[in-house]
Every structure is written in C-alpha cells, then in structure tokens.
Amino acid sequence: MIGGRTPGRAGLAGLGLGLACFLLTALLGPSAVQPGLPGSGPPFSLTVHPSPYLVVGLMAAGVVLSALGLGLCLYAVRSGWRCAARPLLIAGLVATAAFALMPPVGSSDHLNYAGYGRMVVTGHDPYTTRAQDLPHDPVLGAVQDWQRAPSVYGPIVTAQEAFASWIGGTSVRLTVFVLSVTNALAFALVGLILYRCAGRGGPRRLRAVLLWTLNPLMLFHLVCGAHNDTLGIAAAVGALAVFAPRVPRAVRGRTGPGDRVPSAGRTLLSGALVGAGIAIKLPAGVVGGGPAWVLIRDWWRSRERAALLRAAALFAGAGLVVLVAYTLAGSHAFDQVSKASNSVSLASPWHLPDVALGVNRQRWIIRLGSLLLVVALVWLLVRTVPHDLDRDGTAAGGSAPGPVTESRLIALALVLAWLFAAPYILPWYDGLGWAVLALAALRAWSRFEWAVLAHTTALSLAYLPARGPEFARLPGSLDWLLTTVRPTVIPWVLTAVLLALVWGCLRRPRPARAPGPRPPAPAEPRR
C-alpha cells in the first residue's frame, strides 16, 4: 500500500485544487465564461467582472489539475492505496450543492433551456418556435447562441424546462436556478446509486466516488454547467442498476457475469427507465442494449416462455414510455433531432475529413464512416472489456457487492463506442461514459478509464469557453483558442486517443492469474 500512498495523496490534492479553480470561476460572476443573469437572488455570485485571461486561465488550470489528480488517484487505488470513500462522497455532494447555488459557467445552454420552458408556459411549441420569433419576451430575449434553433431535447427535458419556467415566471435568474437545482439533484442521485451499487467498503466504492461524485470534470460540466444531460444519465444508470439481479448472500462471490437474470417486474421497470432516457436525450437509451442483449440471448438459448416474457417486458417498458412522451409532445419533436444528427462538432476527429471533403457537402460519408466505426469499436470493446474485470468478484474486506452483470459490460461497450465515434461531441456528453464506467466493476485505472479521461480532458480544453465568439468576447490575443486549438489541435489529439484505444483493445490480454490466498484488506473506517 505504501507504493500508492504518495500518488493517492497527491491525487486528492489535485482534485481539491481543480475544484477550487472551478468554484472560484463561478464565484467571480459574469465573465467571458459566464453569461450574466439579470435580477437579484439565487443563484449567487460576485460581480467583479474578471478579466477573460483570468477566467480562461482558471478553467484551463482546473481541467489540468483535475485530470492529473484523477489519474493519480486511480493509479494509486490500483497500486493498493485505500482511503475512506464516505468522506469523499460527502465532499462531492457538498461541491454539488455549492455549484448549484452559483450561476452556470462554461456555456450559455442554460439560457436555451429557460427559453424553451418559457415557450411552453406561454402556449408556444418549443419544437417549432425559435427564440428570435419572440424577441420582446424577457426570458426568450436573453437566449444567446441558440436564438434560431427550436428545441432538440426530448419531452421529459421539455417538462423540466416548463416546470422551471412555471416557477421562475419572467425571471431568467430564478428559472435558471430551478434548472440548476434539478440537475444537481439528478447528479447527486446518480452518485448515491453508484455508491450503493459498489457494495460495502473496498476499492470499488472508492473508485465509484472518484469516477463520479468527486470527479471535478463532471462536477464542472454537468453541475456547474447545468447541462440537462445529467437527467438522461440518471435514467440510464437507474435502468442498469434496476436490471442487476439481487443475489442471495449464500451465493455471493461465487457467481459470474450474466449468471442470473432479473424478474419480469424488474425488467419492465428497467425498460421504462431506458425509455425515459430516450425521452430525455436519445443517446441515453444506448445503455438499453446491454439488458436487451442478455435477455434475447437467454431466450434464444433456453427457448423458455419466462425468458421471452422478460425480454418482452424490457421492450414494452421502454416502448410505452417513449410512446406516451412523444405522443404528448407530437411526432415533430423528432424533426430537430434528425437535423442535428447531420452535425459535426469542431473538436471532433470527424471535423478533419469534413474540412477535406468540403464543410456540409459530403456529410453522408461522415455518417457512414461513423456508423462503421461504431460497429468496429463495439466488436473490439465487447471482446476486451471482460479482461479488465476485477476478477475476484469481491470487495476489499471480503464482502461481495454482487455479480458484475454482462448487461453492464455490453452497455459500457456501446456507450464508449458512441463517445469515440460520434461526429458531434461535447465534453459534457462524456458524463454517460463516466457513469457507466463507475457502475462496471473494472480494475482501477483500466485501459478504458485512461481513454475516457484523455477524451474528456481534451474536449474540456477545446471548449474554453463553449460560447459563441460574439457573446464570449474574448480578446484578440486569445483567438487561437477558437481558431487553432478547437478545430485543429484537439481533433488530432482525439484521433490519437482513439487509435491508442483501438491498439489497447487489439493487444493480446495477459492471462489471468490463478486465484490464491489473499490477506484481508482493512475495512473502511467507521464514522
């Protein structure tokens, strides 16, 4: 354990310093990275009008320190370092509350959310109405980057936005605060689910806290940025957590992945949560492929009626929620999603061939290439993920958190393939990958964790800030962030990360060591 003590302590220091940079950026108030909110009351911040150099520097320092800290902590855990997970969980929840009380930072998406909610409460359809159509509305007039775009979000997100607008009324500030609080509650809920699913004590629980609740990159993008992706992640994690079977104490530690399947009732609920994820943001429904694979394969092998009913329950639960949600919203709610599927973000590796082919001219080639890459990555990841499992199946101290279900492994492969192959990517999209990683019982600092960490870090540095130049108003000496780093440097970096991930999957895995006697690890200290 001594070998990992110093990296572990240094890692925790890096996490703390990274969080401090993000918290200070939010506390300073309106700036190049934080849109101003008119009025008074929550959320709270100072109004010192900091220099763009200061806030961009703080964000960059926070990203680098957080990435280094997280990498050191995960390396230390794999080297045998241990510390109590519960205090770190509490620290992450406190940071979550602090970010929720301050104005969002990083992008102006929260203003779009407030605008769409305002459309609903004033009797307009957010899927056909644009903010510029109602310029005199006090809330819609504050929308910045998405003035000419109807909503691309699912009906459940639209309901959240309408709820926030119903409470906030004509106050942009109060509406944004309600949105921030609901997103923060979803983030905290995910953290508690992951903590509970990790079992009692041991490295798995510590790893789950580090990957999510005390992960400064996720706290910054999802909570401090108030992005509604958190709602979809909560539904996806809930679906996988509900699907995992309860294993009797007598057989814990003696079962392997996919040895047991849940009841039809649990499968129905899992499907309903998958459907909720789709009705929030379509990519959140990707995790449903894990349970679907396990259930269909189980039925194919057994040809039993009970297995068929379980599979039918999963699809029925998902289909019913999606049907009800989009019936209420109208089928045209898919229109903007279809248009958005043709987009290529500037920091994506696909931006390089997009420029070579002529921007917006040959997007069908990129869509086809992306689809083929997803298929190839899924195949590679499915055959590779099991080799990174925590093979003994037990947590430190001898208690077993339950079997690692095959559904989670398939879901992880699908999510990672989407993150690394999608033409349109933003740093907060990686939240789904971090959550499913935390749910899977992989060894700390596996090949997948470093790949996701590098992916999120690069995207975070690409979007400093994620606002339009006309609103961020960066000085000319910082234009290189938008003209060089985002569209050129980061796409090449992410291409290298993708190739490294593929190479890591193609390498022949080391043979598993035969299990032998192990000394009991110290239990987590009681509070």
Side-chain angles (χ1 to χ4, degrees):
M1 296 185 183
I2 297 178
R5 184 177 301 168
T6 299
R9 292 177 177 176
L12 289 179
L15 297 182
L17 291 173
L19 276 174
C21 289
F22 294 143
L23 286 165
L24 181 58
T25 304
L27 181 62
L28 291 176
S31 65
V33 301
Q34 183 187 112
L37 296 176
S40 58
F44 304 101
S45 70
L46 303 175
T47 53
V48 298
H49 302 290
S51 162
Y53 298 99
L54 174 61
V55 292
V56 170
L58 282 173
M59 282 182 60
V63 170
V64 173
L65 288 169
S66 300
L68 289 174
L70 187 55
L72 286 171
C73 283
L74 292 173
Y75 170 79
V77 171
R78 186 165 187 176
S79 300
W81 173 71
R82 301 290 182 267
C83 72
R86 184 175 296 178
L88 301 184
L89 174 73
I90 295 173
L93 294 176
V94 170
T96 300
F99 279 126
L101 292 173
M102 291 185 286
V105 170
S107 75
S108 63
D109 284 2
H110 53 282
L111 298 178
N112 311 332
Y113 306 157
Y116 296 138
R118 179 67 176 169
M119 293 177 188
V120 175
V121 299
T122 56
H124 298 86
D125 188 343
Y127 298 108
T128 57
T129 308
R130 302 170 298 176
Q132 68 176 13
D133 297 334
L134 303 167
H136 302 296
D137 186 274
V139 178
L140 291 167
V143 176
Q144 296 184 357
D145 293 292
W146 285 40
Q147 294 177 347
R148 295 181 295 275
S151 178
V152 298
Y153 307 114
I156 293 181
V157 169
T158 301
Q160 178 220 17
E161 295 164 347
F163 171 74
S165 183
W166 176 68
I167 294 178
T170 58
S171 171
V172 179
R173 194 177 194 92
L174 183 55
T175 303
V176 168
F177 177 65
V178 177
L179 290 168
S180 295
V181 170
T182 53
N183 286 331
L185 289 174
F187 185 90
L189 176 61
V190 172
L192 294 174
I193 292 174
L194 296 175
Y195 186 79
R196 179 68 179 84
C197 289
R200 294 183 178 276
R204 289 187 183 177
R205 180 163 278 186
L206 175 60
R207 174 179 171 274
V209 173
L210 290 172
L211 292 179
W212 183 261
T213 318
L214 196 62
N215 183 339
L217 295 175
M218 290 299 96
L219 282 165
F220 175 69
H221 289 301
L222 294 176
V223 184
C224 186
H227 289 287
N228 55 27
D229 300 71
T230 316
L231 300 178
I233 296 169
V237 168
L240 293 177
V242 168
F243 185 80
R246 297 186 181 276
V247 182
R249 290 180 179 271
V251 298
R252 286 183 181 177
R254 301 203 299 269
T255 56
D259 287 340
R260 297 172 60 86
V261 291
S263 64
R266 294 175 69 87
T267 304
L268 180 66
L269 179 56
S270 178
L273 289 170
V274 170
I278 295 173
I280 293 171
K281 266 194 164 183
L282 286 177
V286 168
V287 301
W293 168 264
V294 171
L295 293 173
I296 293 174
R297 189 198 59 183
D298 179 58
W299 168 76
W300 182 262
R301 288 178 176 178
S302 66
R303 300 302 176 98
E304 295 179 352
R305 183 179 179 183
L308 179 60
L309 289 176
R310 284 192 294 267
L314 179 76
F315 288 99
L320 181 61
V321 172
V322 171
L323 178 64
V324 171
Y326 280 94
T327 297
L328 294 175
S331 60
H332 63 287
F334 287 107
D335 294 345
Q336 293 303 313
V337 175
S338 177
K339 294 179 181 178
S341 65
N342 196 43
S343 301
V344 177
S345 59
L346 292 176
S348 166
W350 292 104
H351 177 65
L352 301 174
D354 189 37
V355 172
L357 294 169
V359 178
N360 291 327
R361 293 183 180 179
Q362 300 293 335
R363 288 285 173 85
W364 69 270
I365 297 178
I366 292 178
R367 290 199 302 270
L368 178 60
S370 174
L371 178 61
L372 294 175
L373 181 57
V374 166
V375 173
L377 284 177
V378 169
W379 179 77
L380 283 172
L381 292 166
V382 165
R383 65 188 291 269
T384 306
V385 170
H387 295 288
D388 277 39
L389 288 177
D390 187 1
R391 295 185 179 280
D392 61 5
T394 59
S399 60
V404 180
T405 64
E406 197 173 3
S407 64
R408 295 179 183 179
L409 302 183
I410 300 296
L412 177 61
L414 292 170
V415 170
L416 292 182
W418 166 68
L419 289 177
F420 282 87
Y424 194 87
I425 50 176
L426 294 169
W428 42 91
Y429 290 7
D430 282 8
L432 184 59
W434 284 107
V436 180
L437 266 176
L439 198 59
L442 300 181
R443 295 191 298 255
W445 199 225
S446 70
R447 73 193 85 188
F448 308 107
E449 288 170 355
W450 77 256
V452 176
L453 178 58
H455 194 266
T456 305
T457 302
L459 282 175
S460 300
L461 293 174
Y463 290 93
L464 293 174
R467 299 180 64 193
E470 67 274 24
F471 300 108
R473 297 179 181 177
L474 294 177
S477 55
L478 291 179
D479 283 346
W480 55 275
L481 292 172
L482 306 179
T483 60
T484 303
V485 173
R486 185 180 299 176
T488 305
V489 175
I490 298 302
W492 281 111
V493 170
L494 292 180
T495 301
V497 173
L498 172 62
L499 293 175
L501 176 63
V502 171
W503 171 252
C505 291
L506 290 174
R507 288 176 59 190
R508 185 181 299 275
R510 296 179 180 178
R513 296 180 179 179
R518 336 176 22 190
E524 183 178 344
R526 295 183 179 179
R527 289 179 59 80

